[in-house]
């Protein structure tokens, strides 16, 4: 999705009590399990999940 939409959604979520984060990973799609480079997405998300899970 375009960064402007993701960033607007991120800032809207700041009103929630839960933890919210955003990272721009260039060239990645939404089908994480079949897109090339999914490991980079997982490696980026895992520390966040471990920290807040």
């Amino acid at each position: 999705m375009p960064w402007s939409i993701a960033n607007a959604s991120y800032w809207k979520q700041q009103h929630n009590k839960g933890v919210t984060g955003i990272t721009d990973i260039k060239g990645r799609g939404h089908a994480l399990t079949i897109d090339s480079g999914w490991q980079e997405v997982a490696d980026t998300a895992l520390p966040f999940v471990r920290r807040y899970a």
Side-chain angles (χ1 to χ4, degrees):
M1 85 174 44
W3 178 253
S4 59
I5 293 173
N7 197 35
S9 297
Y10 168 74
W11 285 107
K12 187 172 185 174
Q13 292 301 317
Q14 293 300 299
H15 300 290
N16 292 333
K17 293 180 181 181
V19 178
T20 302
I22 188 169
T23 302
D24 186 9
I25 303 175
K26 301 286 185 200
R28 300 295 173 243
H30 290 273
L32 298 179
T33 59
I34 61 173
D35 284 346
S36 64
W38 67 266
Q39 296 95 338
E40 179 186 5
V41 176
D43 289 342
T44 301
L46 189 57
F48 180 88
V49 172
R50 285 184 173 152
R51 183 172 179 188
Y52 297 107

